[in-house]
Amino acid sequence: MLQPWAIALVSLAYLGALFGIAYWADKRADAGRSVIANPLVYALSLSVYATSWTFYGSVGRAASDGVGFLPIYIGPMLAAILFWVVLRKIVRISKANRITSIADFVGSRYGKSGLLAGLVTVIAVVGIVPYISLQLKAVSASFGLLTRYPDVATPAHATVPILADNAFWVAIVLAAFAILFGARHLDAAERHEGLVAAIAFESLVKLAAFLAVGVFVTFGVFGGFGDLFGHAAASARIAPLLTPFGKVSYADWTWLVALSMLAVVFLPRQFQVAVVENVDEDHLRQASWMFPTYLLAINLFVLPIAVAGLIRFSAGGVDADTFVLALPMAEGHQWLALFVFIGGLSAATGMVIVETVALSTMVSNDLVMPLLLRYGALGVSRRADLSSFLLAIRRGAIVAVLLLGYGYFRFAGEAYALVAIGLISFAAVAQFAPVILGGLYWKGGTRAGALAGLAAGFAVWLYTLLLPSLARSGWIAPSFVEQGPWGVAWLKPYALFGLAGLDTITHSLLLSLLANAGAYVLVSVLGRPGPVEQAQAVAFVDAMRRDAGPIRVWRGETTVEELRVLLGRFLGRARADDALAEYARGRGVSPDALAAEPGLVEHAERSLAGAIGSASARVMVASVVREEALGLEQVMDILDETSQVIAYSRELEDKKRALEAATAELRAANERLRELDRMKDDFVSTVSHELRTPLTSIRAFAEILADNPDTPADKRQKFIGVILKETERLTRLINQILDLAKIESGRAEWHTEALDLGELVREAEGATDALFREKSVRLSTEVAAGLPKVDADRDRLMQVMLNLLSNSVKFCEPETGLVRVRVACEPGRVRVDVVDNGVGVAPEHHERIFEKFRQVGDTLTDRPQGTGLGLPISRQIVRHLGGELWVESEAGRGATFSFTLPTTGSGRREA
Amino acid sequence: MSKRVLIADDEANIVASLEFLMEQAGFEVRVATNGREALEVAQSFVPDLVLLDVMMPEKNGYEVCQSLRQNAALAQVKIVMLSAKGRDIEVAKGLELGADAYVTKPFSTRDLVAKVREMLGA
C-alpha cells in the first residue's frame, strides 16, 4: 500500500490541489473578488511560521529537553501583542513606499541604498539556506520512513548519489512549484493572492494532521492525558523532561523567546506574508489573537507525543524527530500515517515556497538588477523590454536557492537535529533587528551605520555558527572548533574571546548582536546622514503621525513620455499606461493632460520599485530626470518650507475662527443694542402717551370753561373737579416715573436700617385704614413671633406695602372683601403675604402686571384709576433690597402677593 | 338735519369733554369706549364723522380705521384720529390707513371744533 510511487502520487496530487486553490484565488482577485481580504486568512498565512520544524522537530526537541521546545512559540505569541504597534508601522510604511521585501525596506530606510539592500539579501540567502535544508531533510526522512513501513527504525546514514537522493528530487519538485506559485508573471506590487490562499489552506491541513495524530496517540494508544503522563512520571528517564523548564536553562529560555520574537517578523517569508501581502492594516488587530491561538493549538500535543514516543520506543533506534510518523505506523494505522506525512509535507512546502519566492524577489531586485545596471553587462540598459528578463532572473534565483539548500543538507545537515539547524537561521535574521527597529524609531540611524552593523553582525554569525556547523560535518577540520584557528584559543568559534559556558546559539547571538548594535550606533553617531537618508528617516519614523505626508525631493526636468518609456521597459507597455492613468485619476485630470511634476515622478518611482526594488528604481528614474544633486541645504529648505506652510495655515485657521467668534459676538451685541434702543423708544413713547392723556383732559376742560362762561354751575363744578383730579394724576404719574427711573438707573438714595417687618406692616395698615373702611373690606393681620430684623429702607418698604394693600382693596368686592396679611419667618429670610379674595389674576397675566404701564382689568367696565407703575416699582424696590416679589393667583379665586427679604447678615444681592 | 359724530375713546374724561364740545357745536353724538364697540355703533349710527382715539382696548384706532374704510357703506365717513402718540411714523400710518386728519393730544378745543365744522361743511 505504501509504495514509493503511491506516496509520490498522493504528494503530487496534494501539491496540485494546493496549486489549484492558488490559481482559483488569483482568478478571483483579478475579477476583483479577493478571497484573502479577511483577517482569518491573514492570520492563517502568518502560521507559515510553523514548518516541518514544528511538525517533526518540536517533538524531537521535547524528547530531549522536555518543555524546552516551547520558547520559540512563546516568542511569537508575545510578539503578537506588539503587532498592533510595531508591525502596523512597518506595514503602513511599506504600503506607502511600495516595499516589496525586507531588503527593500532596509535599503529604502537608509536613503534607498542599493548596497545595503544587497547586503541584506546576501545575509538573508545565506541565513535561510540551512532552514531550507532542514525542510528537505524532514521531507526526505519522512518519505523514507513511510516507504519502509512497518519498519520504523532510523537507518544509519548512507551516502547516496545525488540523482538517487530523495531530497534532491524533492528540491527540484519544490522549485517547480515555487515558480508556479510565485514567478508566473511580474506584479507591480509584488502581491501573490493565490500564494496566500494556498498557504492559509496548508496551515489548516498541517494543524489538522498534527491534531489528528495527537488525539490518536493520547486517546487511542493511551487512555488520555492522565494515563500518558502517569506512565511518564513513573519512568526515571522521562520524568526530568516534565519539569517547568525542561532541560533548558532559564537564561536560554529568555534568549530563545527573544530570538523567536524577532524571527516571526524578520524571516523573509514572515515579512512577505505579514507585510508585503497584507491587504488591510486592521487585520493585524485580529491576527494579534488568532495567530497565538493557532500556535497554541498546534503545540498542544507535542509533549504528549514526545513522551508517548519515548515510552513506546524505549528500546531506542527511532529518531525522536520522526516520532510523529513512527507512532501511527507502529500501531498499524497506515492511512493516518499517510495523512501525517501529507501534513508534514504541507508544512515544509509552505515554508519553502514562500521563503524562496521572497528570496528570489530580493535576489532579483536588490542583488542582480543593481549589479547589472551598474556594470552594464549584457547591454541591460539598452534593452527595450526587460520584463521577461526580470522574470527569468526570478526563476533562476528560486532554483539556485533550492539547490543551495540541498547542498547544505547534503554536506552539513546530517549532523544536526532539525531544531538546531533552524536556530542557526533564526540567529541570522536576528541581525536585521538593530537596523530595522533602529530605523523605525531613531532618526539618527545612518546608512553607514547600518552597513557597519549588518556587516559586523553577519561576520560574527558566520564565524560562530555557520562555519562551525560545517566543521561538525567534517568539511572543516574539527580542530578549528576545538582549539580555535591556528591554535589561538580565544578565537574559538564557540567560545570567542573566552566567553565560554554558553549554549552555542546564545553565545553567537550575544556576540553578533553586540557587534551589530554597537557598530550601528557608533558609526551612525560619528557620521552624518545624507539628504535622502534624512528625508527617509523622517518619513519612516514619523509614518504613524497623521499629518506626515510624502516628502517630495524630486527636482529636475523630464517629460511624461520619457517616464512612460521608462516604465514600459520594466513593467510592459500595458502596466505602464495603467500606472500613469492611476496617477491621473488621483489628480482628477485626464491621462493626456498629465504634466511631468514631482508627484508624477515619485509615483513612477514607486511603481517601478514594485518590479525592480526601490534602490534600482531610484537609479533608473534619476537617469531620466535630469536632476540637480540635492544638497542638504535644499532638502532642509523644502522641509522648512513645508513646515512653515503648515504652521502658517494653522495660524490662519486660528485667526479665522477667532474672527468668526468676534463677529458673532458683535452681531449679538448689535442685536441687543437695537433691542434696547427699541425698548427705550417704546418706553419714551409710552411715557409720553401716559403723560399726555391727563393733560388732554386738563386742557380741554380748561378751554371749555374759558370759552363758555355761562355754563351751569353744577357742570362747572364737575369740570373743575376733573381738572383738579387729572392734575393730581399727572403729578403722581410724573413722580412715579421719575422714581422708577432713579431706582432702575441706580441713582436713588437708599437709607437702610434694621427693621422689624411686623412693626412696619402694622404701620402700613394704619395708613390704609380709611381705604378699607371706605370700601367695606375687612383686613386681618398675622405676624409671627420672634421675627428677625431685615436690612431695608423704611420709606421704600412702606411704599411697597401701601401699594400691595391698596391694590388688594381695589380688586376686592365691597362687603365680602377680605384681605389677610401674614408675616412669617423662613430660613434666612422673612416673608410677607398679602392675600385677597377678589377677582384674581389669570396665570397668563402674572408677569404682565409687573410690566410698566400695564394694567389688568381692561375688560372691566369700572376701569381702575391707577398709573400702572405701582407693581413694577414695588418689585424693583424689593429686588434692590435683596428679595423677590411675585404673585400666586387664578382668575376668580383671589390673589396672593408675596415678597421675601433676607434677614440681617444673611447676605444681600443687588438687583 | 344735523350731522352725526361718533366719539371713540377709552378715557372717560376725554369723552366727556369731546361730547360737550360736539353737542355744543350742534352735532348729534354717540359714544364708544373701545374699538369693537366703535365699529358696532358706526354700523348702526352711520356717522358723518368719527373722532377716533388710537390707544383703545379690543381694537385700536388703526384697526378701526382700516375696517371703516373697507366698509362700502361707511366709505364717505370722515375720520379724525386723536392720539397722544405724535411721532411721525404714527401720523403717517394713520393717514395711510385712510384717516382724513390726525390730531395729537393735548389738542386745542377751538382748533378741533373748527376743523370738524370745516370737514362737515357746517
Side-chain angles (χ1 to χ4, degrees):
Chain A
M1 189 51 66
L2 286 178
Q3 299 298 314
W5 60 264
I7 304 173
L9 205 61
V10 172
S11 308
L12 283 173
Y14 173 73
L15 288 175
L18 219 52
F19 177 72
I21 291 175
Y23 190 76
W24 167 75
D26 269 333
K27 280 280 161 290
R28 282 282 294 258
D30 285 338
R33 289 182 0 255
S34 166
V35 294
I36 71 167
N38 77 71
L40 182 61
V41 174
Y42 180 68
L44 281 176
S45 73
L46 290 178
S47 308
V48 75
Y49 179 77
T51 68
S52 57
W53 171 345
T54 306
F55 209 81
Y56 294 113
S58 287
V59 173
R61 184 73 139 182
S64 60
D65 290 342
V67 186
F69 76 92
L70 213 40
I72 61 156
Y73 300 101
I74 294 181
M77 292 193 210
L78 288 179
I81 299 171
L82 291 174
F83 273 1
W84 189 241
V85 179
V86 178
L87 196 54
R88 186 162 70 122
K89 189 170 188 181
I90 297 178
V91 168
R92 191 174 286 198
I93 294 170
S94 305
K95 293 284 170 253
N97 294 279
R98 295 231 200 194
I99 287 183
T100 57
S101 68
I102 196 168
D104 205 8
F105 187 88
V106 177
S108 180
R109 162 62 178 84
Y110 295 101
K112 310 203 187 177
S113 159
L115 182 56
L116 201 50
L119 181 57
V120 171
T121 306
V122 168
I123 297 177
V125 171
V126 175
I128 297 301
V129 162
Y131 208 156
I132 291 183
S133 77
L134 128 72
Q135 310 300 321
L136 297 176
K137 171 173 174 152
V139 172
S140 82
S142 55
F143 183 83
L145 180 60
L146 209 57
T147 53
R148 286 192 310 275
Y149 177 85
D151 176 15
V152 297
T154 310
H157 174 65
T159 317
V160 184
I162 294 181
L163 289 180
D165 192 346
N166 292 340
F168 177 73
W169 291 109
V170 171
I172 296 296
V173 169
L174 287 181
F177 271 98
I179 291 176
L180 271 178
F181 277 103
R184 281 203 313 281
H185 53 243
L186 278 183
D187 184 87
E190 280 306 330
R191 292 262 310 283
H192 310 88
E193 296 234 347
L195 181 61
V196 174
I199 294 305
F201 179 72
E202 71 89 3
S203 287
L204 286 174
V205 170
K206 69 193 176 204
L207 179 65
F210 202 82
L211 286 177
V213 67
V215 165
F216 166 72
V217 166
T218 311
F219 298 102
V221 176
F222 290 85
F225 287 107
D227 184 30
L228 178 58
F229 285 109
H231 276 91
S235 156
R237 192 172 44 106
I238 303 174
L241 298 178
L242 302 179
T243 56
F245 286 117
K247 284 209 193 145
V248 178
S249 73
Y250 178 67
D252 289 337
W253 263 69
T254 325
W255 274 116
L256 286 170
V257 168
L259 186 56
S260 52
M261 274 179 82
L262 298 175
V264 77
V265 181
F266 297 140
L267 281 168
R269 70 173 186 280
Q270 294 302 120
F271 196 87
Q272 181 76 21
V273 291
V275 178
V276 179
E277 302 286 350
N278 173 279
V279 171
D280 185 351
E281 229 176 70
D282 278 328
H283 290 169
L284 282 165
R285 214 197 295 261
Q286 271 118 314
S288 291
W289 60 267
M290 283 188 192
F291 180 53
T293 309
Y294 181 94
L295 291 179
L296 209 62
I298 206 167
N299 279 300
L300 205 56
F301 287 107
V302 168
L303 202 52
I305 295 176
V307 166
L310 285 171
I311 294 172
R312 184 76 176 67
F313 305 118
S314 53
V318 181
D319 189 351
D321 277 346
T322 62
F323 277 177
V324 185
L325 204 46
L327 277 169
M329 283 176 64
E331 298 296 323
H333 287 78
Q334 54 184 353
W335 288 110
L336 181 61
L338 188 59
F339 185 39
V340 169
F341 172 76
I342 293 295
L345 180 70
S346 195
T349 56
M351 180 276 183
V352 169
I353 290 176
V354 182
E355 204 79 71
T356 51
V357 166
L359 285 175
S360 74
T361 307
M362 284 199 263
V363 166
S364 121
N365 286 356
D366 303 299
L367 205 55
V368 176
M369 277 306 296
L371 286 175
L372 289 180
L373 284 173
R374 184 182 270 257
Y375 296 112
L378 304 175
V380 159
S381 24
R382 282 176 309 216
R383 280 210 193 190
D385 182 14
L386 287 165
S387 47
S388 54
F389 183 66
L390 281 170
L391 210 47
I393 295 182
R394 292 263 172 102
R395 294 172 179 171
I398 290 177
V399 175
V401 165
L402 269 158
L403 287 179
L404 275 172
Y406 173 70
Y408 186 86
F409 162 70
R410 196 163 171 84
F411 302 127
E414 289 302 329
Y416 282 93
L418 293 176
V419 170
I421 301 178
L423 287 176
I424 295 177
S425 289
F426 270 25
V429 297
Q431 306 308 319
F432 299 145
V435 296
I436 291 185
L437 293 176
L440 281 178
Y441 295 106
W442 182 39
K443 292 187 196 173
T446 68
R447 181 174 149 275
L451 277 172
L454 278 177
F458 185 52
V460 173
W461 174 82
L462 267 180
Y463 190 74
T464 55
L465 272 185
L466 194 66
L467 289 183
S469 70
L470 293 176
R472 277 271 287 266
S473 311
W475 287 92
I476 302 179
S479 64
F480 171 68
V481 174
E482 279 142 34
Q483 283 109 31
W486 313 296
V488 182
W490 56 267
L491 281 181
K492 278 200 284 200
Y494 284 142
L496 208 48
F497 307 125
L499 195 63
L502 288 174
D503 179 55
T504 55
I505 298 292
T506 315
H507 170 266
S508 170
L509 206 54
L510 192 60
L511 288 175
S512 62
L513 284 181
L514 209 60
N516 191 330
Y520 174 57
V521 171
L522 210 61
V523 176
S524 292
V525 164
L526 289 177
R528 298 198 48 177
V532 187
E533 271 174 74
Q534 282 201 335
Q536 287 297 90
V538 171
F540 272 56
V541 176
D542 291 339
M544 295 307 276
R545 285 193 7 214
R546 246 167 279 266
D547 57 352
I551 303 191
R552 310 248 148 102
V553 288
W554 283 111
R555 270 191 191 166
E557 290 176 18
T558 180
T559 66
V560 178
E561 200 45 46
E562 281 179 312
L563 287 172
R564 192 194 303 271
V565 167
L566 176 67
L567 286 173
R569 280 176 62 192
F570 293 96
L571 301 176
R573 191 58 202 246
R575 286 188 207 265
D577 286 333
D578 280 341
L580 289 174
E582 192 189 329
Y583 182 77
R585 257 202 311 280
R587 303 288 260 133
V589 299
S590 93
D592 310 312
L594 271 182
E597 52 195 17
L600 177 60
V601 177
E602 210 185 302
H603 181 82
E605 186 190 337
R606 257 187 268 140
S607 306
L608 213 49
I612 62 175
S614 62
S616 307
R618 181 150 210 280
V619 169
M620 290 314 300
V621 172
S623 71
V624 163
V625 174
R626 283 169 289 286
E627 182 194 87
E628 328 148 1
L630 274 179
L632 184 59
E633 293 278 325
Q634 283 155 304
V635 174
M636 293 319 281
D637 278 345
I638 297 176
L639 286 173
D640 265 336
E641 239 178 76
T642 317
S643 61
Q644 259 177 41
V645 168
I646 293 175
Y648 187 61
S649 69
R650 276 215 199 102
E651 249 185 75
L652 276 178
E653 277 289 325
D654 287 335
K655 289 225 173 79
K656 182 174 112 177
R657 245 173 282 138
L659 201 61
E660 279 172 355
T663 312
E665 254 187 71
L666 276 174
R667 214 174 278 135
N670 205 23
E671 269 305 309
R672 261 177 278 132
L673 276 175
R674 254 196 262 266
E675 212 185 292
L676 281 174
D677 206 38
R678 228 183 314 127
M679 274 168 55
K680 190 205 75 189
D681 270 351
D682 282 348
F683 181 67
V684 167
S685 173
T686 313
V687 164
S688 93
H689 176 274
E690 291 299 311
L691 291 175
R692 287 183 205 223
T693 304
L695 264 181
T696 308
S697 307
I698 295 172
R699 181 175 179 180
F701 283 118
E703 284 182 6
I704 286 174
L705 282 173
D707 292 343
N708 299 278
D710 41 320
T711 319
D714 59 335
K715 274 227 166 108
R716 287 234 316 266
Q717 282 306 108
K718 187 164 154 227
F719 292 169
I720 289 175
V722 171
I723 289 177
L724 290 174
K725 231 162 141 218
E726 290 295 289
T727 309
E728 274 172 38
R729 176 177 164 198
L730 188 54
T731 313
R732 236 191 354 257
L733 195 58
I734 291 174
N735 286 338
Q736 281 191 321
I737 289 173
L738 287 175
D739 203 21
L740 191 56
K742 273 207 304 205
I743 294 178
E744 279 190 339
S745 72
R747 285 202 282 267
E749 278 172 20
W750 298 83
H751 306 286
T752 359
E753 50 183 296
L755 290 177
D756 181 349
L757 261 184
E759 197 196 304
L760 187 98
V761 164
R762 283 190 222 284
E763 216 184 294
E765 283 175 34
T768 50
D769 190 46
L771 212 58
F772 279 88
R773 263 188 289 121
E774 221 179 83
K775 206 170 169 192
S776 306
V777 174
R778 269 168 304 136
L779 172 63
S780 86
T781 324
E782 298 155 27
V783 177
L787 278 181
K789 302 230 188 224
V790 298
D791 284 324
D793 180 313
R794 171 175 281 276
D795 292 335
R796 293 287 188 194
L797 209 50
M798 180 64 81
Q799 195 179 342
V800 172
M801 278 310 304
L802 292 175
N803 175 234
L804 291 179
L805 284 173
S806 58
N807 276 353
S808 64
V809 169
K810 229 183 286 181
F811 285 93
C812 273
E813 296 299 310
E815 301 294 324
T816 55
L818 169 65
V819 175
R820 285 187 356 250
V821 179
R822 276 198 310 255
V823 185
C825 181
E826 281 183 3
R829 45 194 203 177
V830 179
R831 178 177 162 146
V832 175
D833 301 299
V834 177
V835 190
D836 70 65
N837 61 353
V839 289
V841 181
E844 56 262 29
H845 295 311
H846 281 189
E847 277 310 300
R848 280 187 59 192
I849 57 176
F850 290 101
E851 286 174 30
K852 300 190 251 277
F853 301 125
R854 286 260 186 272
Q855 286 184 290
V856 186
D858 292 357
T859 53
L860 290 181
T861 49
D862 184 25
R863 194 163 174 282
Q865 287 291 316
T867 56
L869 285 177
L871 280 175
I873 292 179
S874 294
R875 184 175 250 184
Q876 283 294 84
I877 291 173
V878 171
R879 277 196 179 153
H880 183 97
L881 294 172
E884 185 54 60
L885 170 66
W886 72 95
V887 65
E888 275 158 29
S889 170
E890 276 170 57
R893 274 128 148 281
T896 303
F897 282 84
S898 315
F899 68 89
T900 58
L901 285 174
T903 56
T904 324
S906 61
R908 285 255 308 270
R909 181 181 55 86
E910 198 73 4
Chain B
M1 211 190 46
S2 51
K3 298 285 185 175
R4 297 199 281 250
V5 172
L6 169 61
I7 300 172
D9 197 317
D10 56 335
E11 277 278 336
N13 289 327
I14 297 182
V15 166
S17 62
L18 287 171
E19 213 176 353
F20 180 89
L21 288 169
M22 291 299 119
E23 278 179 350
Q24 203 193 47
F27 301 122
E28 200 186 326
V29 172
R30 283 285 141 80
V31 160
T33 53
N34 65 54
R36 187 187 37 85
E37 204 186 328
L39 283 173
E40 281 170 12
V41 175
Q43 279 281 57
S44 53
F45 184 52
V46 191
D48 297 297
L49 185 136
V50 179
L51 289 173
L52 187 54
D53 179 30
V54 168
M55 298 301 286
M56 284 192 294
E58 294 217 18
K59 271 187 159 44
N60 66 39
Y62 293 125
E63 290 168 328
V64 172
C65 180
Q66 218 172 359
S67 301
L68 288 176
R69 283 298 175 234
Q70 279 161 3
N71 191 330
L74 300 169
Q76 300 302 320
V77 176
K78 299 270 192 272
I79 301 182
V80 176
M81 291 191 107
L82 295 170
S83 181
K85 294 202 157 187
R87 287 189 287 181
D88 285 345
I89 38 160
E90 279 136 1
V91 174
K93 185 173 175 185
L95 294 175
E96 253 173 64
L97 286 172
D100 297 287
Y102 191 105
V103 175
T104 51
K105 303 178 186 172
F107 46 79
S108 154
T109 51
R110 299 155 194 145
D111 287 348
L112 183 63
V113 173
K115 183 168 261 172
V116 169
R117 279 218 174 100
E118 189 197 355
M119 282 182 154
L120 290 179

